[in-house]
Amino acid sequence: RDGQIWDYQTCSFEVEQIGFGGKFQMFPARPWKMAWLRDHCKQRFGIDPQPTAMVDLWGFTANGLRHQGVSRILFTNGL
C-alpha cells in the first residue's frame, strides 16, 4: 500500500500529465491519456480526476499569481 496516497492525489487534485516511453528507457512506452487516468481513478478509488481543481480553488494560474504580486513559489514535501 506504499505510494497509494500519491496515486490518490494524482486521481484527485494533482493531476500530473506523466507519460513515458522511448527506446532508451527501462519502462515500456505508455503515453499519457486523460481517458486512461479517468478509468484508473474510477476503478481504484471511485473518483473522477479534477485537473482544474487547484485553479478553481486557489487561482493557481500564471497570470493570476503574477497579478497578486507572486514572483517565486517553493513547493516542498515536508521532509
Side-chain angles (χ1 to χ4, degrees):
R1 295 177 55 101
D2 287 344
Q4 188 173 3
I5 191 64
W6 300 113
D7 199 19
Y8 180 79
Q9 285 180 324
T10 299
C11 281
S12 57
F13 294 134
E14 294 182 28
V15 175
E16 300 171 11
Q17 298 182 18
I18 300 173
F20 43 88
K23 60 184 179 180
F24 298 112
Q25 293 185 355
M26 65 183 215
F27 301 107
R30 188 180 87 190
W32 189 88
K33 293 186 172 131
M34 185 64 177
W36 179 89
L37 184 64
R38 191 176 299 116
D39 292 343
H40 168 75
C41 296
K42 196 60 138 176
Q43 258 186 345
R44 186 156 188 203
F45 301 109
I47 61 174
D48 290 317
Q50 302 174 40
T52 63
M54 296 287 201
V55 173
D56 297 341
L57 290 172
W58 297 298
F60 279 4
T61 64
N63 289 333
L65 292 173
R66 276 195 292 271
H67 177 72
Q68 296 172 39
V70 175
S71 62
R72 291 187 175 94
I73 299 174
L74 174 66
F75 293 96
T76 179
N77 66 358
L79 296 177

